[in-house]
Amino acid sequence: MTVEPADRTGTPAAPEVFAVRGDVVVPDAVVPDAAVVVADDRIVWVGPLQDAVAAGLGDVVAAAAEPVPGTLVLPGLVDLHDHGGGGAGFPDATTREAVMTAVLEHRRHGTTTMLASLVTADADTLLERTALLADLADAGEIEGIHAEGPFLSPVRRGAHDPELLQTGDVALVRRLVEAGRGHLRTMTVAPDVDGVAGPGGVAAALVQAGVVPSLGHTDATTQVAEDFVREVVTGLAESAPDLRMTATHLFNAMRPLHHRDGGPVAACLAAAARGDLVVELVGDEVHLDPAVVRSVIRTVGADQVMLVTDAMAAAGMADGAYDLGPMAVSVQDGVARVTDPTHPEGGPIAGGTSHLLDVVRATVAAGVDLVDAVRCASWVPAGVLGLTDVGGLLAGRRADVVVTDADLVVQRVLRAGAEVV
Ligand SMILES: [Zn+2]
């Protein structure tokens, strides 16, 4: 008996083969007037139109709609730091429906692979959320979970609840890993917090469990950050060589770089420049000056930078009042800040309100090459987690395809070959 793909009624069906046309952004180039050919959930061919006939795909390509000039075909984007959108946030989600509201808000805008990010909360809440999100990861809706906290510096807490920050607790790490059933993938930790760095610390336990420690929300000196990077990079090389260490939203919520006090930023830039670290940048024009995004990418290279949204529930929604875990957040003119009646401008920035494609657009507008900006939002983050099935328009990978106009406004999204609506 031969096994054939079945449609939803269970009837065996031939694989559906179709082409998507436009200027195709592959991992290291833009291929003008090209096509991506999809069969079922896979990309089976990518190349210039003129080569399609020789590849035996003349009919398939001829059947595809003629693209408007300037149409871009991008890989599905990969966001490793995202707390929610569409009015729902992962730190507050108690149902699968709420999780999916946020996931679909981003998926419709081109993010086909994401980690769901939590924020600092009490242990029971973290364990409950982790278990719920693990169900969605089992179902293939999210790639996994990013725990931002609770082992963060009170001095650089940003929008995290100071009452719930704690020193390193390896027992809690083990419980989270267990609740996540293999889906806890990254955790933001501060090496200057007791119990995080060093033998028997949180970072060592994470590495042991195959979870990426991401340096962030830290008041560390350059030396402490350098030592921590060395510790984690060495540990990952030994026990999880497919994973790469990251820094959580470089510059934001960390001691700033000063020429007489370099802080963690100096250490992170040096580590990235030598290929040891991938730095997150929230390139949404709110968290960072676009010129800083451009400068960092030019300094350390696109392969060491991943663009993220750090989005919260308000992504894709109107201004107003939202929650970010235990913290109340006010969004005004698209900028989310911790609600603080004592300050007219509000408290610290509390996540972003963009989709990752918006970040790519802003990064291109800042002067970064399109291929590099797309790479930082797809290929590089996929590589951080060792994913080889997503992150680039290459034959054999999952058919995650985003079609945009020349201004990077989304027009169509495919995930595993299926239309996202
Ligand atoms: Zn965050």
Side-chain angles (χ1 to χ4, degrees), residues 81-83 117-119 146 148 160 188 217 248-249 280 282 287 308-312 324 350-352:
H81 190 158
D82 190 331
H83 301 276
S117 298
L118 296 174
V119 295
H146 160 223
E148 191 171 11
H160 291 255
T188 301
H217 284 276
T248 298
H249 42 54
E280 287 181 7
V282 190
H287 285 74
V308 297
T309 58
D310 196 3
M312 41 76 77
L324 182 60

Side-chain angles (χ1 to χ4, degrees), residues 349-376:
I349 294 175
T353 61
S354 297
H355 305 108
L356 191 51
L357 187 57
D358 301 324
V359 173
V360 171
R361 189 185 311 110
T363 302
V364 171
V368 174
D369 174 62
L370 173 68
V371 172
D372 281 346
V374 170
R375 192 175 173 94
C376 292

Side-chain angles (χ1 to χ4, degrees), residues 189-212:
V189 292
D192 47 326
V193 167
D194 283 351
V196 168
V202 158
L206 290 169
V207 167
Q208 189 82 45
V211 180
V212 174

